[in-house]
Amino acid sequence: MHRKRVVLGVAVAAAAATVLAACSSSGGSSSTSTNSSTAKVTLSWWNNANTQPLLGVFQNVIKQFEAAHPNVTIQNVPMQNELFKTKITPALRGNAPPDIYQQWGSGQQATQVQSGKVADISSEVSSWISSLGTPATEWQTNGKWYGVPYDLHVVGFWYRKDLFQQAGITAAPTTIPQLESDDAKLRAHGIQPIGLGSKDGWPDAFWWEYFAIRECSQSTITSAMSSVNLSAACFTKASADLDAFVKTNPFQTGFLATPAQSVPNSSVGMLANGKVAMELQGDWEPAAGSGLTSDKNFDDQLGWFPFPAVPGGAGDPKAVLGGGDGYSCTTAAAEPACAQFLQFLTTPAVEKQIIGAGAGLPANPAANGDLSVPAEKDAAAANSAAPYIAEYFDTALPTTPGQNLDNAVAKWFASPDASGSGITSSVTTP
Amino acid sequence: MMTAITAATPARARGGRRRSSNWTIMPATYLVSIVILGLTVVPLLYVFLDGAKSTAQISANSTALPNPWVWSNYGQILSSAAFWEFLGNSALIAAVATGLAVGLGSMAAFALSRYVFRGREAIYTLFICGLLFPLQIAALPLFLQLQLMGLLDNQFGVALPEAAFSLPITILILRPFMRAIPGDLEDAAMVDGASRLRFFAQILLPMCKPALVTVGLLAFVTSWNQFLLPLLVFSTQSHFTLPLGVSTFQSTYSSNTAVVLAFTALAAVPALAAFLWGQRYLVAGASGAVKG
Amino acid sequence: MTRSTAADAGLTGPGAADDIAVPGPGAVRRGGRYRRRRKLRKGTELTILLGPGLVLFLGFVLAPIAIGAYYSLYNWDGLGPLTNFTGLHNYKIAFNDPAFVSAIEHTLILTGLSLAIQGPIALGIALLLNRKFPGRTAMRLVIFAPYVLPPAVTAVMWSLLLQPGGLVDQVMKAAGLGGLVQLWLANLHIVLYSVFAVLTWQYLGFGIILLLAGLQGIPAELKEAAAIDGATAWQTTRQITLPLLGPTIRIWVFITVIGSLQVFDVIWLMTQGGPAGASDSMATYMYRTGFQNEAFSYGTAIAIIMFLFCFAFALVYQRFALRRDTRGALTRAVG
């Protein structure tokens, strides 16, 4: 009897609570759809800065903005990156998406624009957006602005100066053959040359994409991304180059199962602990690695050099692969408050705080000098001087072909072949 | 063989007989126990020990003992209000989900095991079908539905679907157990004037304790470790459950693995405690009612 | 009385419940109105017993699944409007994709291994743990503990243990088995079996607990009676315990097969189904090519295919195996 009463009691309580909950729903964004810039507005802000130091920086930034715009309240909703990515799609599908949310531009943005929930802010940003330069154009879709970047990323080689010295390497390699001979020197001294977080797929993609950028001209790359087609001959050549390079055994043992970041046995962890000498990665590498080592000098041991030139390639040896982080406003968000906040994030003073937290390179070139890690400055300089920046293919392409490409490259690394047909055909697979 | 000789001993010498038949069993039991202990405990010990290192230590050498012992990981977690918030949320949701699943599940299993009615097997099959789908297929529609019902960012938005998804396995396990209770008991109860519902509550359920504890533990652990549902439902960090709470120690490019492991070691404690409490009922409860 | 098996003795065993509803000797049959009242009462009782569970289940499980299944007939990325009806196109693509076909193979391998290896081990351990011995509670706790760990942590932990030079390698070298060391997670041919080992570690405890619960339902008197009749422990086990444990074992098989067909968490978090899909199960394939790629309709189509696998098994199993548990007489008196 006692059990039955308990069971019934719980059931009744649950039913009652459901009714109550339905009546007093909570959560979700609550912005008024007024256009006046003096009425009270609240903006919910979904970002991936869920840990220090960027979390604290953003909280400060919110305070500063609210002080300058007393009628605006910003509700910070930080979320770990993978959680955020899982949540944003259903949220855009539902009827209460966040007002401001993070997105990475280009093809991914185009896919999201289809939901009809992303706001076209071209008129609100036209007066100042050009000061951010060419990289910001990744946040245009069909010529209209749907987002604004707040930091940029570039991919290059991060290497340990101490290990290079040990192996007797005096200068960073500038061509692939030089890189291969440096690898041999490192191996001769018992050092694993290059770390690769192949388990996650996207680090593999960096390799293939850089060979593609070195083999293909800029116009080939641009048209390939927009037409979602990798049939040009230079892409096959890129696969052949990569195949020849992989055959020189440059990566660490068991690289197929090594994750890229976060965990101690990741490739960046290995770089941080001196178990590999270099890694082809984005500018987040110092931040990602410093938590995994007790070596306080890690940042200073790092050097940076751009992806070497490929002899005979049609691509510019100074072109870089990169991307960035940005934010978009949804259609329910109050304007011009939303666009003003996005602009605020790109002002030099705020950019300084953001890059101080190790988020990446500033979206506003005026803040380039504020980078703290020496190697980062090299990366930023290469980024600013690059004739063009190719965005990571999986972001430049719409989401499905982009992910297919990453998967295909990862699969290729498990059993490399010179034709790379599995890779080039992956973007057109239905 | 010992047992053959002693088998002839009359019942009164039961104690002696049992002792000698254990000669061959006990060493085997202990040997197996030790092997299992090793295979199970050592990795578990890892979670605990690595939680007492710094992530840098784990990176450098994952198998060494902590040096120095970084108790601050555990300290930091136990003293953070967020951890207890997560714990409370998880506990509340798990309690509701388990209570509902076991309560409604046992009622349904009783109906499906001891009543005869048209459509009984069809309804049973319907429940079992719920087991046959992966949760991900329901994720997006469920999210939209919960949004419509206003259950987002709300504990019941998680507890109710969790209970619903635990129903099939609860019913699957309970139904044969309930069937096995002899009909005489039910008849006897009815002769004494009790309704079938009272028989259910006062006689059948207590007899099914081991099975009830089993399904309760399953529902509890499933809810405790549930990740996808709370992720979809909760946006506000203060509503997070423990598995989501881990993400507060992980960021885009890095993850404080040592703290994550410490966090997990601590988060597993309530579930283990629930098991400790429940496993008493897995002890032999002879179906005493069958005796004359 | 001595019988060769408990089942023959007609003693307590799972039997048909069909007879229970018939009133026993005590009730007096009355006509018309009495019978209607009884019918109404039975209906009411059934509504109370089944109603809430059914409502909860239909509302939160079947409805979303049905809606989700509907999406699989379109080509939809979860964001735009639902306009591109493609019928069974997604299903055709799936079966033509060699990656999916090998995912099916892997899943079937894992299922078979689970039955063949986890079953006997769990049974043996449960039998051993069913007797009283000092430290039994602690043993049970230890065995169940892996099941309690969230899959995320199991994955992280075993990734660390299985990395080149990790604890597993070190222990093997120390035990003189250094020659057998492999790249557990990087070797395409081995990774599936490494994953299976981790899955066993995590889920064995569940099987043991389930079987223990079943063992508790076997009256001790039966074993005592058998022992008095001169049966050895092995004979008792084989001819009394195991048959009576039959229903529980059959449930374990059902849950294990369904669970193996849907296995996701540990594999995804440890290897993402890699490297290069070498450890893909149907569910990890579904998640990667469907939901992660935002090819939502495709992912749902894969989920439907998984359901069909499970459904086919459930149908066959219900017909041939579980049906046994509904047959057989239910005696009304003992001894």
Side-chain angles (χ1 to χ4, degrees):
Chain A
M1 199 56 173
H2 171 71
R3 172 172 282 275
K4 183 173 166 190
R5 221 182 263 142
V6 166
V7 163
L8 279 181
V10 169
V12 167
T18 313
V19 171
L20 282 175
C23 294
S24 60
S25 77
S26 56
S29 75
S30 50
S31 59
T32 57
S33 48
T34 167
N35 277 332
S36 161
S37 50
T38 49
K40 272 202 144 331
V41 299
T42 311
L43 298 170
S44 61
W45 182 27
W46 282 25
N47 60 73
N48 69 356
N50 69 317
T51 53
Q52 301 295 356
L54 198 55
L55 175 65
V57 165
F58 277 3
Q59 282 164 343
N60 272 338
V61 167
I62 291 180
K63 285 206 199 96
Q64 293 162 20
F65 184 79
E66 288 177 345
H69 298 80
N71 60 314
V72 179
T73 311
I74 305 215
Q75 189 191 14
N76 190 18
V77 186
M79 230 179 281
Q80 195 267 338
N81 196 41
E82 302 312 317
L83 302 193
F84 167 80
K85 283 183 180 162
T86 310
K87 278 188 79 73
I88 189 62
T89 306
L92 286 177
R93 175 95 197 119
N95 57 16
D99 295 304
I100 312 172
Y101 73 96
Q102 185 155 356
Q103 54 99 337
W104 292 271
S106 201
Q108 237 189 31
Q109 176 179 285
T111 311
Q112 287 175 341
V113 164
Q114 286 173 34
S115 69
K117 300 263 175 47
V118 189
D120 173 2
I121 49 176
S122 307
S123 45
E124 284 89 347
V125 306
S126 54
S127 56
W128 52 268
I129 195 78
S130 47
S131 65
L132 297 183
T134 330
T137 56
E138 298 292 353
W139 278 263
Q140 276 185 323
T141 299
N142 299 330
K144 303 198 196 130
W145 290 97
Y146 286 94
V148 176
Y150 72 92
D151 71 17
L152 296 175
H153 298 299
V154 69
V155 176
F157 275 90
W158 297 87
Y159 72 96
R160 293 192 63 110
K161 298 191 224 167
D162 53 346
L163 295 180
F164 265 35
Q165 247 179 359
Q166 255 183 19
I169 304 172
T170 46
T174 51
T175 67
I176 292 290
Q178 277 178 19
L179 178 62
E180 289 174 358
S181 79
D182 286 347
D183 288 349
K185 285 193 193 138
L186 287 162
R187 282 252 182 240
H189 285 81
I191 304 170
Q192 301 186 109
I194 306 183
L196 177 63
S198 183
K199 179 177 172 219
D200 289 335
W202 51 267
D204 297 336
F206 286 165
W207 281 93
W208 188 83
E209 287 166 20
Y210 250 123
F211 273 105
I213 294 171
R214 292 284 179 262
E215 286 286 0
C216 306
S217 65
Q218 178 182 2
S219 53
T220 312
I221 300 273
T222 323
S223 68
M225 294 297 111
S226 56
S227 61
V228 190
N229 189 310
L230 297 177
S231 52
C234 57
F235 291 113
T236 310
K237 229 177 153 299
S239 304
D241 291 342
L242 184 56
D243 186 44
F245 182 75
V246 169
K247 286 196 163 70
T248 65
N249 191 17
F251 303 124
Q252 82 276 15
T253 320
F255 65 89
L256 287 176
T258 309
Q261 302 167 331
S262 292
V263 287
N265 57 325
S266 58
S267 49
V268 66
M270 296 176 103
L271 184 71
N273 286 297
K275 301 205 178 115
V276 295
M278 45 181 150
E279 190 178 8
L280 178 66
Q281 266 291 358
D283 53 279
W284 48 73
E285 191 79 335
S290 53
L292 296 172
T293 179
S294 38
D295 178 2
K296 299 279 174 259
N297 291 329
F298 173 57
D299 284 352
D300 296 321
Q301 285 295 356
L302 281 179
W304 190 91
F305 64 87
F307 193 87
V310 169
D316 190 320
K318 292 223 192 71
V320 294
L321 181 70
D325 301 290
Y327 294 109
S328 289
C329 300
T330 52
T331 45
E335 296 293 354
C338 185
Q340 283 172 346
F341 183 65
L342 298 190
Q343 180 186 13
F344 185 64
L345 291 173
T346 64
T347 53
V350 176
E351 286 283 13
K352 184 169 173 188
Q353 296 172 52
I354 292 177
I355 63 177
L361 309 176
N364 191 337
N368 268 357
D370 291 319
L371 290 163
S372 52
V373 178
E376 295 252 7
K377 291 205 172 99
D378 299 334
N383 200 28
S384 304
Y388 81 96
I389 300 171
E391 184 153 7
Y392 323 116
F393 289 14
D394 61 9
T395 330
L397 296 165
T399 313
T400 306
Q403 293 295 315
N404 283 345
L405 177 64
D406 281 354
N407 291 336
V409 177
K411 204 165 158 188
W412 183 93
F413 266 82
S415 55
D417 68 276
S419 73
S421 53
I423 300 177
T424 47
S425 60
S426 67
V427 293
T428 43
T429 318
Chain B
M1 183 115 135
M2 291 265 191
T3 42
I5 298 172
T6 52
T9 319
R12 245 179 290 123
R14 201 166 288 167
R17 181 165 35 97
R18 197 163 286 152
R19 235 186 291 130
S20 41
S21 75
N22 282 343
W23 274 122
T24 46
I25 301 293
M26 283 315 283
T29 309
Y30 274 118
L31 183 64
V32 172
S33 303
I34 290 175
V35 170
I36 298 172
L37 207 72
L39 287 174
T40 315
V41 161
V42 169
L44 286 175
L45 212 53
Y46 251 75
V47 179
F48 169 68
L49 282 181
D50 273 1
K53 296 181 185 171
S54 67
T55 307
Q57 281 184 39
I58 302 180
S59 264
N61 185 348
S62 71
T63 57
L65 282 178
N67 180 19
W69 288 75
V70 180
W71 292 110
S72 61
N73 288 340
Y74 286 102
Q76 166 193 351
I77 297 170
L78 285 172
S79 60
S80 78
F83 174 75
W84 296 102
E85 224 169 17
F86 300 151
L87 189 76
N89 290 332
S90 276
L92 175 65
I93 293 175
V96 171
T98 306
L100 276 179
V102 175
L104 298 184
S106 58
M107 286 168 24
F110 178 65
L112 292 171
S113 63
R114 302 182 76 89
Y115 281 72
V116 179
F117 57 95
R118 225 179 28 204
R120 183 185 70 178
E121 292 306 310
I123 294 187
Y124 177 69
T125 311
L126 197 67
F127 274 112
I128 298 303
C129 276
L131 263 184
L132 309 181
F133 283 93
L135 180 58
Q136 289 91 339
I137 187 183
L140 182 54
L142 191 57
F143 169 80
L144 296 174
Q145 188 172 315
L146 290 171
Q147 195 173 51
L148 274 175
M149 294 170 75
L151 284 175
L152 285 189
D153 237 350
N154 179 313
Q155 277 93 340
F156 286 98
V158 176
L160 290 176
E162 278 180 1
F165 273 95
S166 285
L167 276 178
I169 204 171
T170 305
I171 293 175
L172 177 72
I173 294 181
L174 285 180
R175 188 174 158 196
F177 277 89
M178 291 189 172
R179 264 208 171 126
I181 307 291
D184 345 4
L185 287 177
E186 196 157 351
D187 294 341
M190 304 229 288
V191 163
D192 285 345
S195 74
R196 290 182 79 174
L197 292 185
R198 271 189 72 185
F199 164 75
F200 167 70
Q202 291 183 312
I203 300 181
L204 185 97
L205 279 187
M207 289 180 69
C208 285
K209 267 207 195 110
L212 285 174
V213 167
T214 306
V215 294
L217 279 176
L218 285 184
F220 187 83
V221 171
T222 307
S223 168
W224 196 257
N225 290 338
Q226 180 64 239
F227 184 76
L228 185 59
L229 266 174
L231 172 60
L232 289 178
V233 168
F234 295 130
S235 301
T236 321
Q237 196 160 295
S238 62
H239 290 154
F240 279 9
T241 53
L242 283 170
L244 287 183
V246 168
S247 71
T248 56
F249 301 109
Q250 300 164 314
S251 66
T252 317
Y253 307 123
S254 66
S255 156
N256 196 340
T257 303
V259 181
V260 164
L261 291 175
F263 185 95
T264 312
L266 290 174
V269 166
L272 288 173
F275 173 74
L276 256 183
W277 172 84
Q279 67 89 36
R280 287 184 289 145
Y281 297 99
L282 293 176
V283 173
S287 325
V290 180
K291 288 200 181 109
Chain C
M1 77 183 126
T2 50
R3 300 288 186 136
S4 48
T5 66
D8 283 355
L11 289 173
T12 312
D18 299 346
D19 300 315
I20 300 180
V22 176
V28 173
R29 274 194 174 261
R30 289 185 216 132
R33 233 179 46 193
Y34 173 74
R35 229 174 299 173
R36 265 200 304 277
R37 221 171 356 120
R38 278 185 62 92
K39 253 200 137 99
L40 189 64
R41 182 164 183 195
K42 174 171 151 183
T44 319
E45 289 176 355
L46 278 177
T47 312
I48 296 179
L49 288 171
L50 271 181
L54 260 182
V55 166
L56 191 69
F57 183 70
L58 287 172
F60 287 105
V61 176
L62 283 192
I65 285 179
I67 297 174
Y70 177 63
Y71 293 152
S72 73
L73 299 175
Y74 288 77
N75 185 3
W76 190 48
D77 58 11
L79 279 175
L82 199 68
T83 50
N84 192 355
F85 182 82
T86 52
L88 296 177
H89 182 60
N90 286 324
Y91 298 88
K92 260 190 268 177
I93 298 178
F95 283 110
N96 280 328
D97 184 354
F100 182 55
V101 173
S102 56
I104 297 180
E105 280 171 18
H106 298 152
T107 313
L108 293 177
I109 292 177
L110 286 176
T111 308
L113 285 177
S114 299
L115 289 176
I117 297 186
Q118 288 176 14
I121 296 182
L123 192 56
I125 296 177
L127 286 172
L128 280 173
L129 284 189
N130 195 29
R131 50 200 82 237
K132 271 189 172 1
F133 62 90
R136 177 169 77 161
T137 306
M139 270 303 294
R140 286 177 165 185
L141 185 67
V142 162
I143 286 181
F144 192 65
Y147 183 71
V148 169
L149 273 190
V153 173
T154 307
V156 165
M157 197 175 72
W158 279 103
S159 299
L160 284 174
L161 293 174
L162 288 170
Q163 62 180 314
L167 183 67
V168 170
D169 287 354
Q170 291 179 11
V171 164
M172 287 182 77
K173 287 205 182 95
L177 296 171
L180 291 178
V181 164
Q182 303 284 341
L183 290 176
W184 304 108
L185 296 176
N187 184 326
L188 296 182
H189 304 289
I190 294 195
V191 62
L192 186 66
Y193 303 97
S194 308
V195 161
F196 173 70
V198 176
L199 284 171
T200 303
W201 183 85
Q202 176 135 60
Y203 291 111
L204 198 66
F206 158 73
I208 296 176
I209 296 302
L210 186 65
L211 292 170
L212 272 177
L215 284 171
Q216 299 307 334
I218 300 177
E221 299 81 48
L222 288 180
K223 295 193 252 192
E224 290 166 14
I228 291 176
D229 287 341
T232 63
W234 172 240
Q235 283 177 324
T236 313
T237 306
R238 222 187 68 142
Q239 293 176 335
I240 298 185
T241 315
L242 283 185
L244 285 179
L245 203 53
T248 311
I249 295 181
R250 284 189 275 280
I251 294 180
W252 176 86
V253 166
F254 186 78
I255 295 178
T256 301
V257 169
I258 299 297
S260 300
L261 288 173
Q262 295 182 3
V263 66
F264 174 75
D265 284 348
V266 170
I267 301 186
W268 181 260
L269 293 163
M270 252 177 69
T271 63
Q272 268 100 58
S279 61
D280 247 347
S281 67
M282 290 196 281
T284 57
Y285 174 85
M286 167 188 76
Y287 193 77
R288 187 179 56 250
T289 60
F291 304 109
Q292 210 184 42
N293 280 8
E294 294 190 6
F296 190 77
S297 282
Y298 187 65
T300 320
I302 303 287
I304 299 285
I305 295 178
M306 284 172 63
F307 162 72
L308 290 174
F309 268 88
C310 293
F311 190 67
F313 165 74
L315 262 178
V316 169
Y317 196 68
Q318 179 85 348
R319 193 161 186 31
F320 292 110
L322 291 180
R323 186 70 64 91
R324 289 181 50 185
D325 299 334
T326 69
R327 254 187 254 124
L330 188 73
T331 54
R332 300 178 160 271
V334 173

